Amino acid sequence: MTSRIIPVKPFDYVVFGATGDLTYKKLIPALYHRFADGQFDEQSKIIGIARSNWNDEQFRSFVRKSINEFIDKSLIDKDIVNRFISLFFYIANDINSDKGWAELGEQLRDEENIIRAFYLAVPPSIFAPICDNIAKWNYWHSDARVVVEKPLGHDLQSSKEINDAIERTFCEDQIYRIDHYLGKETVQNLLALRFANILFEPIWNSAHIDHVQISVCETIGAGTRGYYDGTGALRDMVQNHILQLLCLVAMEPPASDRANSLRDEKLKVLHSLAPISGENVEKLTVRGQYGGVSAEGVSVKSYQEELEKSKKGSHTETFVALKLALKNWRWSGVPFYLRTGKRMAKRMSEIVIQFREIPHSIFSHAKGAPIPNMLVIRLQPDEGVKLFMMIKDPGPGGMRLKQVHLNLSFADAFNERTPNAYERLLLDVIRGNQTLFMRRDELEAAWTWIDPIMEEWQQTDRPPQKYNAGTWGPTNSIALIERDGRTWHEESDF
Ligand code: BG6
């Protein structure tokens, strides 16, 4: 493992929102792993900034707590933890006043070889004052970077406003817009699968593919997350993560793995999305909201029950399914079915490439008809790839056809801890590699496609269809695909 670690330059990582959930649950554990693996050392600094009147010691205990909670015990080494914790400093700041800004200047180092990155783990409503202050206090320089997370807007207009505010200080190649799905190993593997093998590319088109499914199913609920209500599954999951997955599946081979080469191709996919608007919204989309269940001693609250009183009756969707088309040469006539939801039967994210039937079967006397090939790319859990194909069932008894699968399970093939998405992304910022981050035009193209769907839903203001927690979503989502003579892939044991 160590031999594959490429150390990065020393850095000053400034984290706004340092006492929040994202820092606690994701950023600290990710940085710990990278430090423990030797990717950076004591020459780097992590400067936490937030409103609470903490000091360095209090912040360091928070860091220690995060490590104890989120790092596997077997990977906690006392000496490494102590060295790691010594990199953390804290500044109490108020973005609406001068409090804390001069102290930040004392912490930042002006040496040329030290990379400066600002991570805004705060709501987008305060991106503008933070960026403005960075400029005002002269903490910006041409090699500094800023990292931002969703929600980058709730529609095209608000997303433009957020980006305009950031761009008053930083230019596009300094802005790292995180979509953590792109940092997942299995998502990056999609690129390897498609473009490091000769096998798939010649048949990766409408002549050979019948349809594509992308499912991101979760078992967790959403009603207790303040942000979720009024946001819903379409904005929370489809606008970013799922459209990014779609881009990787559908894009043309980029000329290289350079950031803009890849992002140009993803953008073309987003531009070829057939618009869904007006009455098509009813035909091509399904919204759902989970109801509670109470059976065999297990009781799960409905979304409505989880909501605070003032939000009861909300029409926010916790599930969405869509059928979409790409208007381009490669994918003409190939439907893409997407679905995502909370409180579903199983936690499972996968991409299914369903190939067409063979043009002519020579097996008129065989038992069992040839079943079309299918490639299932499992993103999580049980990461791996399965290729379903036909063989002759061995032994006597004439020609009997049987479906089997070639199975590449990552856990079996690579007996290693899979790094989480933030480990890769946080250090890509330091490396200056924007490949796995969204460019502004991608973000806006995604919102341009999403907005008419949201508008139609708002206009008709129908409640989402109920589905029971622990199921595969509302019945209309099953009808959406079965109307076309197809079914969602739900193989229980991947
Ligand atoms: C986040 C969404 O971006 O992704 C959450 O806001 C969702 O609602 C999460 O649960 C899913 O991420 P993962 O990595 O657990 O699949």
Side-chain angles (χ1 to χ4, degrees):
M1 184 85 185
T2 335
S3 61
R4 286 191 263 143
I5 301 295
I6 307 170
V8 294
K9 286 189 181 165
F11 54 76
D12 285 343
Y13 231 124
V14 183
V15 180
F16 288 88
T19 55
D21 253 20
L22 181 69
T23 309
Y24 186 68
K25 294 183 178 161
K26 301 285 183 198
L27 307 187
I28 295 170
L31 286 168
Y32 174 79
H33 280 303
R34 297 293 88 232
F35 179 79
D37 276 352
Q39 210 148 16
F40 61 93
D41 61 18
E42 285 91 338
Q43 294 178 68
S44 289
K45 255 188 188 183
I46 299 145
I47 306 157
I49 299 194
R51 267 184 312 193
S52 309
N53 275 323
W54 288 5
N55 55 28
D56 289 349
E57 278 325 300
Q58 282 165 301
F59 188 43
R60 288 174 183 181
S61 339
F62 174 82
V63 174
R64 194 180 291 278
K65 218 169 133 221
S66 154
I67 295 172
N68 287 334
E69 193 172 335
F70 295 105
I71 306 286
D72 192 285
K73 294 280 166 288
S74 65
L75 300 173
I76 298 186
D77 176 296
K78 217 169 140 198
D79 173 55
I80 296 178
V81 173
N82 289 337
R83 286 195 293 123
F84 177 66
I85 283 178
S86 72
L87 313 184
F88 285 78
F89 300 87
Y90 184 80
I91 297 171
N93 151 280
D94 179 354
I95 43 138
N96 296 314
S97 75
D98 282 351
K99 184 178 168 191
W101 289 102
E103 287 87 330
L104 176 58
E106 286 157 25
Q107 285 288 359
L108 290 170
R109 293 167 294 174
D110 260 329
E111 295 141 51
E112 214 170 89
N113 69 329
I114 296 191
I115 305 289
R116 181 176 296 179
F118 299 96
Y119 197 118
L120 311 193
V122 291
S125 53
I126 54 174
F127 288 176
I130 292 179
C131 292
D132 293 348
N133 270 304
I134 291 172
K136 175 178 142 192
W137 289 82
N138 280 329
Y139 300 152
W140 179 92
H141 60 64
S142 59
D143 194 35
R145 291 122 214 226
V146 66
V147 190
V148 289
E149 279 254 6
K150 65 183 264 278
L152 293 175
H154 52 87
D155 58 12
L156 178 61
Q157 183 53 32
S158 53
S159 142
K160 283 188 171 168
E161 287 162 13
I162 292 169
N163 281 303
D164 286 346
I166 303 170
E167 284 176 12
R168 285 205 297 267
T169 303
F170 295 94
C171 56
E172 182 61 35
D173 59 11
Q174 296 181 293
I175 305 174
Y176 290 72
R177 296 182 192 83
I178 289 207
D179 181 317
H180 79 278
Y181 265 58
L182 292 180
K184 288 182 190 272
E185 286 284 321
T186 42
V187 175
Q188 293 166 54
N189 189 46
L190 262 172
L191 292 174
L193 193 74
R194 284 198 60 199
F195 304 125
N197 295 294
I198 199 160
L199 201 61
F200 297 115
E201 197 44 31
I203 54 169
W204 208 259
N205 53 44
S206 61
H208 301 94
I209 294 179
D210 175 75
H211 75 277
V212 176
Q213 299 180 15
I214 303 180
S215 295
V216 178
C217 306
E218 298 183 276
T219 49
I220 52 166
T224 50
R225 271 172 78 197
Y227 147 83
Y228 196 86
D229 198 63
T231 298
L234 187 68
R235 289 187 179 112
D236 185 48
M237 295 296 288
V238 178
Q239 186 274 340
N240 36 71
H241 308 322
I242 298 187
L243 286 185
Q244 286 292 318
L245 293 179
L246 172 81
C247 286
L248 297 180
V249 171
M251 72 185 184
E252 295 300 316
S256 75
D257 67 352
R258 296 176 73 106
N260 280 337
S261 189
L262 214 91
R263 301 197 293 182
D264 288 345
E265 294 307 334
K266 287 197 289 166
L267 184 65
K268 286 185 207 159
V269 175
L270 294 167
H271 283 160
S272 36
L273 281 166
I276 300 183
S277 59
E279 58 193 31
N280 271 340
V281 173
E282 174 77 17
K283 277 194 224 141
L284 301 175
T285 73
V286 175
R287 314 167 67 213
Q289 191 183 79
Y290 56 83
V293 282
S294 183
E296 293 163 14
V298 184
S299 131
V300 180
K301 280 189 183 165
S302 68
Y303 181 71
Q304 293 293 337
E305 284 166 326
E306 287 174 342
L307 288 177
E308 57 190 62
K309 224 171 170 187
S310 61
K311 292 181 173 166
K312 299 270 184 219
S314 155
H315 285 181
T316 297
E317 78 285 356
T318 61
F319 173 98
V320 62
L322 302 140
K323 175 183 172 185
L324 61 84
L326 291 174
K327 291 198 298 183
N328 61 27
W329 194 296
R330 184 187 286 259
W331 295 112
S332 176
V334 179
F336 284 73
Y337 300 93
L338 317 183
R339 67 175 169 170
T340 182
K342 305 279 183 204
R343 290 267 189 255
M344 293 186 65
K346 223 175 135 188
R347 175 169 179 260
M348 177 276 275
S349 302
E350 67 180 21
I351 296 168
V352 176
I353 311 290
Q354 176 63 67
F355 291 96
R356 291 192 183 282
E357 288 183 359
I358 50 168
H360 168 73
S361 174
I362 62 165
F363 301 105
S364 51
H365 300 295
K367 268 202 183 146
I371 303 171
N373 298 127
M374 179 168 66
L375 179 70
V376 181
I377 303 161
R378 179 60 76 92
L379 305 177
Q380 61 190 29
D382 311 325
E383 293 84 352
V385 178
K386 258 188 188 178
L387 178 61
F388 289 76
M389 51 195 294
M390 300 305 293
I391 58 157
K392 176 191 175 295
D393 201 358
M399 175 59 85
R400 286 166 297 122
L401 296 175
K402 186 180 174 192
Q403 190 186 45
V404 292
H405 55 257
L406 295 178
N407 188 7
L408 171 63
S409 152
F410 292 171
D412 295 346
F414 314 101
N415 192 15
E416 283 176 6
R417 181 185 72 84
T418 306
N420 77 47
Y422 282 90
E423 292 181 45
R424 169 75 196 254
L425 298 175
L426 279 166
L427 290 205
D428 273 358
V429 173
I430 303 303
R431 284 187 204 98
N433 182 352
Q434 289 187 306
T435 309
L436 300 177
F437 298 83
M438 285 185 297
R439 208 166 55 190
R440 177 172 178 162
D441 49 8
E442 286 179 72
L443 188 73
E444 294 186 356
W447 279 123
T448 304
W449 186 76
I450 293 283
D451 273 4
I453 304 177
M454 293 296 326
E455 277 158 24
E456 182 67 17
W457 284 352
Q458 265 148 23
Q459 229 159 46
T460 48
D461 197 30
R462 280 198 210 100
Q465 203 194 356
K466 282 273 171 308
Y467 61 97
N468 281 342
T471 65
W472 289 105
T475 49
N476 284 356
S477 70
I478 316 241
L480 178 78
I481 190 165
E482 294 199 345
R483 267 203 303 271
D484 297 343
R486 303 175 172 115
T487 50
W488 290 109
H489 179 248
E490 264 153 35
E491 191 202 15
S492 54
D493 178 15
F494 175 73

